[in-house]
Amino acid sequence: MFWGDDNDEEIEIADLTLSEARETLNKQIEGSTDIDTKAAKLLRINTVILGIVISGLSFVLSDSSIQLKGDGFNGLTIIGLVLLLGSIAFAALTYTASDLYVGVSQSDISELIDGGYSELSNKESLAKVMGKWIDFNSDTITISAFYFTTTTTLLVWSLSFLALGIADALSNSVGIWTLSLIVAILLIFTYVSEWFNQLHRYWTVVEPVERLKSICCWRD
């Protein structure tokens, strides 16, 4: 332990530690709330875009007066719709993934009050617990941030492919070189958006392979 007998200096250090821990928790809560708010907005935007695209396709395909040079419901459009659905799914995951520790529970308070511990001992215990909360919240925010970045990235990809699909349906002019150029630009955007770095951090936190092994009862 880094605190010994109860004295003014040690209690002052304990108070400072608790204050710093609380400030860190507050910043984590603010960051998580900001991600949740943006994810909720994107979820609504994606849903509206999906409705517009489906309505537009239904109208174009059912109206014989509209002459298309290509297939209105082509492969590019299908890819765009699948990516948009993926964006919606990750937006929902982002909104539901933020389950943070925000403070002491009633049982924790009762234990501190009824335990008969000294002031310094209580503050030491609380500081250790808050340290665990900070670590847990950090992992949770890493997961939420990855989901949110994936949401925005998939949205950009989906809109690009939907635009290509519409262009191909109207003019039948989207060739392999145009498609390759757009995909290259999208890959650059994905890299610049730090998606790959966030994927690495997400993989480190979640350890999906290890979880799958535990679920399937695999043995090394």
Side-chain angles (χ1 to χ4, degrees):
M1 295 184 183
F2 53 91
W3 298 315
D5 298 333
D6 290 17
N7 58 59
D8 293 341
E9 183 179 355
E10 290 172 333
I11 290 177
E12 184 178 348
I13 295 173
D15 287 334
L16 178 61
T17 303
L18 289 174
S19 177
E20 291 293 330
R22 170 46 61 186
E23 183 177 352
T24 300
L25 284 172
N26 289 338
K27 289 185 180 298
Q28 288 180 327
I29 294 168
E30 290 175 5
S32 179
T33 300
D34 183 56
I35 292 175
D36 287 347
T37 301
K38 291 178 180 178
K41 290 180 179 178
L42 274 181
L43 181 59
R44 291 193 293 268
I45 291 172
N46 285 351
T47 304
V48 171
I49 292 174
L50 180 62
I52 293 174
V53 170
I54 293 177
S55 299
L57 285 174
S58 298
F59 175 76
V60 169
L61 294 176
S62 62
D63 192 343
S64 58
S65 63
I66 299 177
Q67 300 297 321
L68 300 176
K69 294 185 178 180
D71 186 3
F73 197 63
N74 52 50
L76 294 171
T77 305
I78 294 174
I79 293 174
L81 285 172
V82 171
L83 290 171
L84 184 57
L85 289 173
S87 182
I88 291 174
F90 272 98
L93 282 174
T94 305
Y95 191 69
T96 58
S98 300
D99 184 17
L100 303 183
Y101 283 115
V102 297
V104 294
S105 64
Q106 182 178 356
S107 59
D108 293 328
I109 295 174
S110 299
E111 182 177 352
L112 290 174
I113 294 176
D114 301 333
Y117 305 113
S118 66
E119 178 183 0
L120 182 58
S121 179
N122 279 338
K123 290 181 177 180
E124 177 185 354
S125 298
L126 184 56
K128 290 180 178 180
V129 171
M130 291 178 74
K132 294 180 180 179
W133 294 344
I134 290 172
D135 287 342
F136 176 86
N137 290 351
S138 179
D139 290 344
T140 301
I141 292 173
T142 296
I143 295 172
S144 296
F146 170 72
Y147 287 162
F148 179 73
T149 303
T150 302
T151 298
T152 55
T153 302
L154 287 176
L155 177 59
V156 173
W157 278 73
S158 68
L159 292 177
S160 300
F161 271 88
L162 287 171
L164 287 173
I166 293 172
D168 191 60
L170 294 175
S171 61
N172 197 23
S173 60
V174 178
I176 185 64
W177 291 111
T178 301
L179 179 60
S180 299
L181 176 61
I182 296 299
V183 170
I185 293 173
L186 289 172
L187 286 173
I188 293 173
F189 165 78
T190 304
Y191 176 80
V192 173
S193 68
E194 296 288 323
W195 184 84
F196 293 104
N197 289 335
Q198 291 198 20
L199 174 61
H200 175 72
R201 290 194 291 268
Y202 170 82
W203 197 272
T204 302
V205 169
V206 176
E207 296 182 336
V209 175
E210 295 302 321
R211 289 194 177 189
L212 184 60
K213 285 183 179 180
S214 63
I215 291 174
C216 297
C217 299
W218 290 356
R219 294 292 183 269
D220 293 333

